């Protein structure tokens, strides 16, 4: 029995369906659009622990909250392709037609590439970017050994392609949260997306957003709109 349980755990890890709280049966109806959280550079699925609590407090169940885990050193293009596959897994599991995406930091680049370059827009109802590196950050100059950081540095070919044309395509609703106290997204206005609802936060640090229940609550309210 222990051996069978271990195999099942390994299988769930392999398909990447990291679910907060107790999951409902596959294909079970959901009251909310499923949320896919996308972490940033050097982050992990565990970054969203506080977000899980905030969303649970607003009535979300375990079958509605998912954290996408990826190798943040690789190209954001590769991570976006993995995100595309992950979203399809979530849709198949929940029976939903769309997901809401909430990203942080470099997760903005992964999410945006999926939506704009990989045909993901029809599958995304809302996209919320918290301190997203949507137009790059000079802070990435400290980690150019990683392909992801080369792409995240302002003026990169990746960013030029990503931000060409409509920054908020299709019927997806877009919103961002950004702050002059960020300290990592430089300039902090890099997070803004043309055509999105861009929310200026008076003073919040880059990592502080992950435990900022006020901002996370505002994100949950945006997804309910």
């Amino acid at each position: 029995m222990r051996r069978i349980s271990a195999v099942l755990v390994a299988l769930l890890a392999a398909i990447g369906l990291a679910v907060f709280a107790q999951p409902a049966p596959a294909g079970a109806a959901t009251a909310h659009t499923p949320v896919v959280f996308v972490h940033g550079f050097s982050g992990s699925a565990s970054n969203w622990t506080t977000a899980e609590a905030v969303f649970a407090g607003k009535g979300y169940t375990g079958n509605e909250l998912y954290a996408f885990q990826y190798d943040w050193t690789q190209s954001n293009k590769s991570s976006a392709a993995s995100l595309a596959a992950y979203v399809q897994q979530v849709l198949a599991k929940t029976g939903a037609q769309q997901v809401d995406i909430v990203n942080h930091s470099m997760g903005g680049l992964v999410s945006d590439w999926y939506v704009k370059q990989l045909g993901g827009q029809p599958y995304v109802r809302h996209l919320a970017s918290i301190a997203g590196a949507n137009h790059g950050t000079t802070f990435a100059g400290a980690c150019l050994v990683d392909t992801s950081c080369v792409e995240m540095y302002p003026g990169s070919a990746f960013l030029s392609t990503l931000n060409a044309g409509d920054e908020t395509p299709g019927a997806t609703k877009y919103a961002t949260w950004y702050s002059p106290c960020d300290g990592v997204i430089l300039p902090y206005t890099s997070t803004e997306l043309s055509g999105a609802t861009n929310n200026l936060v008076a003073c919040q640090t880059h990592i502080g957003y992950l435990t900022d229940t006020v901002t996370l609550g505002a994100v949950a309210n945006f997804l309910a709109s």
Side-chain angles (χ1 to χ4, degrees), residues 100-116:
D100 289 334
I101 289 180
V102 178
N103 65 61
H104 176 250
S105 192
M106 193 177 75
L109 300 184
V110 176
S111 303
D112 292 347
W113 193 270
Y114 162 58
V115 169
K116 291 188 64 178

Side-chain angles (χ1 to χ4, degrees), residues 178-183 201-212 215:
Y178 65 108
S179 173
C181 298
D182 186 295
V201 179
C203 191
Q204 183 55 271
T205 64
H206 192 67
I207 299 301
Y209 277 113
L210 297 174
T211 54
D212 180 353
T215 295

Side-chain angles (χ1 to χ4, degrees), residues 23-111:
T30 57
H32 304 88
T33 300
V35 179
V36 174
F37 295 100
V38 184
H39 66 78
F41 183 84
S42 77
S44 70
S46 64
N47 287 165
W48 300 106
T49 301
T50 301
E52 178 269 332
V54 170
F55 277 66
K58 291 184 176 291
Y60 281 81
T61 68
N63 197 46
E64 298 168 337
L65 300 174
Y66 299 83
F68 172 60
Q69 179 84 40
Y70 65 97
D71 177 1
W72 42 264
T73 66
Q74 68 182 356
S75 170
N76 291 293
K77 298 178 183 179
S78 298
S79 297
S82 296
L83 175 60
Y86 186 83
V87 167
Q88 291 305 310
Q89 292 169 5
V90 171
L91 295 179
K93 175 180 173 61
T94 62
Q97 299 299 307
Q98 292 181 303
V99 300
D100 289 334
I101 289 180
V102 178
N103 65 61
H104 176 250
S105 192
M106 193 177 75
L109 300 184
V110 176
S111 303

Side-chain angles (χ1 to χ4, degrees), residues 101-157:
I101 289 180
V102 178
N103 65 61
H104 176 250
S105 192
M106 193 177 75
L109 300 184
V110 176
S111 303
D112 292 347
W113 193 270
Y114 162 58
V115 169
K116 291 188 64 178
Q117 302 297 322
L118 300 183
Q121 185 278 314
Y123 302 107
V124 181
R125 181 169 175 266
H126 293 80
L127 191 151
S129 187
I130 305 172
N134 299 320
H135 294 92
T137 171
T138 57
F139 197 86
C143 56
L144 294 178
V145 65
D146 296 316
T147 301
S148 58
C149 281
V150 172
E151 294 172 345
M152 189 162 51
Y153 195 80
S156 70

